[in-house]
Amino acid sequence: MGKLVEWIFQRVYMAMLASAIFWVLALCGGLVFGLAPAGCVLMTLFQQYRYDYKKYHWKEAWALFKENFLATNKVFFTLLIVQALLSYGIYILIQLPHQTILYLLLTIANLLFLLLAPAVYAVYLKLQVFFDFSYKNSLKLSLIGVFLNISAMLKLLLGTILLLIASYFMPALLFFVFIGLWHFFISDVLDPIYQTIQSKLKTEKS
């Protein structure tokens, strides 16, 4: 029982620590421009140190933040713009008079691509920890990664929905716990995608 309590406390404390690091770094980037590099920092630190909170240091976090500021923001805002355009497309299609099957299919297609963008971003956060790739290749590989392991993507969807529901009823936890917890969650749940890509790269080299 004591070990279980210690395990739960350690996870909650780490989620709070990671969330604090995330928001401080995000504010350093003017919030809007700090979200993506802050997420990158959490993913990198968690991959290196897992739940060993003593190894999480501000100096290293700040260095990672500055190093990845431009690259992560380029990907983040590209996907954000895509989402905005798709959302506008859905709005226009809904407003059109004389709705037809074609308009309905286009609306559904836009909606599916709208849901795809956050998944691509989550995969990108996972992969950028391991690969130093160009802007174009990062988008391409992250998009491909979404379809490499459907089970992982379903877990990502379910886990994210549950966290959003919990955040609705306990909004304070979204800021102080769930942000860190979500990054830890996607780091683990998307690991099969990284393993698949890594194995394919090794096969091609050999």
Side-chain angles (χ1 to χ4, degrees), residues 100-170:
T100 64
I101 295 179
L102 177 61
Y103 291 160
L104 177 61
L105 291 175
L106 287 174
T107 302
I108 293 174
N110 277 10
L111 183 60
L112 290 175
F113 282 113
L114 186 67
L115 296 174
L116 182 64
V120 172
Y121 177 68
V123 173
Y124 166 74
L125 282 178
K126 176 65 179 180
L127 297 182
Q128 58 80 32
V129 176
F130 304 96
F131 303 113
D132 184 16
F133 39 32
S134 66
Y135 164 74
K136 182 179 179 180
N137 287 335
S138 64
L139 287 172
K140 187 189 303 182
L141 195 59
S142 299
L143 178 60
I144 294 171
V146 171
F147 302 98
L148 290 179
N149 193 304
I150 301 302
S151 174
M153 298 314 300
L154 290 175
K155 290 176 184 177
L156 170 66
L157 178 63
L158 178 60
T160 302
I161 289 174
L162 290 176
L163 281 177
L164 289 174
I165 292 173
S167 299
Y168 176 79
F169 292 102
M170 297 172 287

Side-chain angles (χ1 to χ4, degrees), residues 1 6 12 16 25 27 41 43 48-49 66 70 82 88 148 156 169 171 197 202:
M1 185 65 180
E6 181 181 355
V12 172
M16 292 175 65
L25 290 174
L27 288 173
V41 170
M43 296 293 287
Q48 292 177 339
Y49 308 124
K66 292 187 293 183
L70 289 177
V82 169
Y88 184 69
L148 290 179
L156 170 66
F169 292 102
I197 293 175
K202 286 182 178 179

